[in-house]
Every structure is written in C-alpha cells, then in structure tokens.
Amino acid sequence: MNNELPVIDLSAASAGPEARARLHEALHAAARDVGFFHLTGHGVTAEETAGLMRAMRAFFALPEADRLAISNLNSPHFRGYTRTGDERTGGSQDWRDQLDIGAERAARVLGPEDPGYWWLEGPNQWPAGLPELRTAALGWVERLSSVAERLLHELLAAIGAPEDFYDEAFADRPHLHLKLVRYPGSAPDGAGQGVGAHKDYGFLTLLLQDEVGGLQVEGPDGEFMDVPPLPGAFVINLGELLEVATDGYLKATNHRVVSPPGNRERFSVPFFYNPRLDARIEPVSFPHADRAPGVTQDAANPLFAEYGRNEIKGWLRAHPGVARKHHPGLLEDAGTPVA
C-alpha cells in the first residue's frame, strides 16, 4: 500500500463498455489489495453535502443539555446522542461525541425466542427545535443508499460475480446506519484515540470527512497511513461481511482516527450500508475464489454469517452504558453466538 488511496470514478460504469471494464479493473485491485479507496463520480452534489454539514454543525452547536435530552441511554435501540468519551473501541475510550441514526421504524415487540439483534430496529431520537436535521439526515440515508447499491453491484461485477447476488439480503428492511460525529480535539489526558483501530461489521461504509483529516488506514506492514481528505469524494471501506462472503479475497481493513490537535474540531459522517439483520450471507461464487486466503481469524471477534449477530455484538461492546441499562441479558452473549 502506498501513501495514497486509489481513486475510483463510479461514473465510468455508465460511460461505455471500455470505461466500465477499466473501472472494474481498478475497483477489483482496490478492494482486493487495500480494502479502502476514494469514490468520485457518485452524483452527490456539493449543495447536498453542504446542507447536511450545516444541519450537523447546528446540532453540535446546541447546548449540551439539549443534546443530552436525546441521549442514547434513553434508547434500547442504541439511537441518539453519545457524549464525548462514552463510546469505546477495543475497550478504550474514544474521544468524540456523535448522533446515531438509523432507518426510521417502529420498535419491534420481541418474544422470548427472538434474536436479541432485533433491538437494533426502532425509532430515532431528534432534537427539539431543529427539524432540518431530521430532513437532512434521513435524506442523506436515502441518497447514499442508492450510491452504495450501485457501487456494490459494480464491485461484485468487478470480481466476476453476479452483480445482483446480494439483492435479496438487502430487500425489504436493510439495516442502514448513519453517524454524525464530532472530534472535539485532544483528550485532556493527551490520549490521541479519536476512535480506536477497528473493522466495520457489514458490507460497505461511505465516509464524508471535512478538511481537517485524522483518518488512518493500516497497511500490510502493520503501520497506519494518513488518508488526507479529497474534496468531493467519499472514502469507501469494505466491511467484514464482504470478507466473509469472499472467503477473505476482499479485505476488511483496520482503520482509526487520530484526534485533531488542541481544541480543533473535526466533523465526519460515516454511512453504513448493511443488509437485513436476519440476512444470512451466503458465499458468492466468482472466478478468483481459488485464490481466496480465508477469513481473518480473531478469537476476540468471531464472525457470523447471520449479519445481526455481528452487529449486536459490536453495539454491546461499544456502548456498555446502554447495554447495562436496557440489555443486561444480552451482555453475557457479547462475543459469542446469540441463540
């Protein structure tokens, strides 16, 4: 991995057979060798992006009491505001605050035999007096869902797989997740963990970052490299389910955020494109499958073919306060298959 991520122009998919073939070659290499790339040609306009960023900055400019009024501690669905330092990655404190948003759905009524991951579906929490945030955030979820669907189709085609292979897994109720994140500068103790090194659980992550920087991606030598912002581009990374689906041929790569220096703020908006919680991710057939190295094995982070099992495991670990308050019965299953 060199010091710059590949740049993939999605508009080439509709620019004729030769351009699409070149796109597939570049996309194949980026997904196989790096697991991260910049995406341009996605069709999301500067005006759309600016509207979301305005609403996001307005939210974080609210008095802390107004933000805490929609604390995720109120939500058994892990939706709402997490104040700085209350989320954990790898067991260590992340120095950021954020608002977690998902598809706007009614809460499920769980029976005794229902998997615990169904708690992840439910209503969002919105700040009073800031209706433009709800409009901008849910509009962004819808807009990026269409970009992610198109990208996933092109990625599967790029490795020689049927491009619609996972359409059924995303049908009806995909588990779409948006984070509005602020990094408020360095922690008082000098720790630089904005968010600790991790891999994402699902299929694809589309990240909008501001001009401050701080995202780092792990290279094959174990060293982390900076990912400077590229204006107008999303940073794309592959999640663990695509690694599972291709037996390790496609990479889910560790990444982290280093806190900005001093009191400088950084804003970012990751969008996670994931299938239905109960979708079982079947292995996809593709011509290069015989070269797949196998899925990364981590005893502390077992991976399951049923997507929701991976997702609930991550939320229980990342938000122990919510887990203790609403889901003490699930805590004992964190890191193990949930029946």
Side-chain angles (χ1 to χ4, degrees), residues 21 51 54 60 78 85 94 127 131 140 172-173 189-190 192 264 278 325:
R54 280 194 303 272
F60 286 107
F78 297 87
D94 295 327
W140 194 256
D172 186 31
R173 301 171 72 86
D189 63 1
R264 189 177 189 188
D278 61 345
K325 180 176 180 179

Side-chain angles (χ1 to χ4, degrees), residues 44-292:
V44 179
T45 67
E47 291 76 14
E48 290 174 295
T49 300
L52 177 71
M53 294 301 289
R54 280 194 303 272
M56 176 182 179
R57 289 175 182 271
F59 171 73
F60 286 107
L62 292 173
E64 184 181 50
D66 291 353
R67 285 177 271 130
L68 288 173
I70 58 168
S71 167
N72 68 349
L73 291 171
N74 302 330
S75 170
H77 318 294
F78 297 87
R79 305 288 177 83
Y81 175 69
T82 303
R83 67 182 176 183
T84 304
D86 278 5
E87 185 175 25
R88 296 182 176 273
T89 301
S92 297
Q93 186 181 56
D94 295 327
W95 200 247
R96 62 177 183 174
D97 59 345
Q98 64 192 32
L99 182 64
D100 281 292
I101 299 162
E104 193 72 83
R105 293 176 182 148
R108 294 178 67 107
V109 179
L110 271 66
E113 303 302 318
D114 288 331
Y117 57 66
W118 285 121
W119 281 110
L120 297 174
E121 281 200 353
N124 294 300
Q125 297 190 83
W126 302 104
L130 198 61
E132 61 268 31
L133 180 65
R134 184 182 192 277
T135 300
L138 294 182
W140 194 256
V141 168
E142 183 176 357
R143 188 75 172 88
L144 263 63
S145 292
S146 63
V147 175
E149 180 182 33
R150 185 181 178 200
L151 175 60
L152 179 59
H153 282 183
E154 296 301 332
L155 175 57
L156 291 172
I159 65 171
E163 65 181 57
D164 61 352
F165 188 82
Y166 290 111
D167 281 6
E168 194 278 332
F170 283 85
D172 186 31
R173 301 171 72 86
H175 189 69
L176 309 174
H177 176 214
L178 180 69
K179 281 182 181 283
L180 306 181
V181 184
R182 175 179 62 175
Y183 297 87
S186 299
D189 63 1
Q193 179 170 309
V195 61
H198 66 285
K199 299 177 182 180
D200 293 341
Y201 315 129
F203 266 65
L204 291 171
T205 303
L206 287 70
L207 173 69
L208 171 67
Q209 56 175 344
D210 68 8
E211 71 284 352
V212 173
L215 175 65
Q216 296 184 334
V217 174
E218 186 178 30
D221 59 358
E223 296 295 318
F224 281 83
M225 73 168 192
D226 292 328
V227 180
L230 180 64
F234 292 108
V235 179
I236 309 298
N237 67 278
L238 279 58
E240 291 173 323
L241 280 188
L242 272 175
E243 184 171 317
V244 169
T246 60
D247 195 29
Y249 186 78
L250 300 181
K251 287 175 63 87
T253 303
N254 270 320
H255 53 287
R256 67 188 185 189
V257 173
V258 177
S259 296
N263 294 322
R264 189 177 189 188
E265 291 182 324
R266 174 183 185 263
F267 294 90
S268 70
V269 186
F271 169 73
F272 304 91
Y273 184 65
N274 297 322
R276 295 189 326 274
L277 288 167
D278 61 345
R280 294 193 63 83
I281 306 306
E282 302 296 336
V284 63
S285 177
F286 61 105
H288 314 284
D290 60 331
R291 287 181 256 165

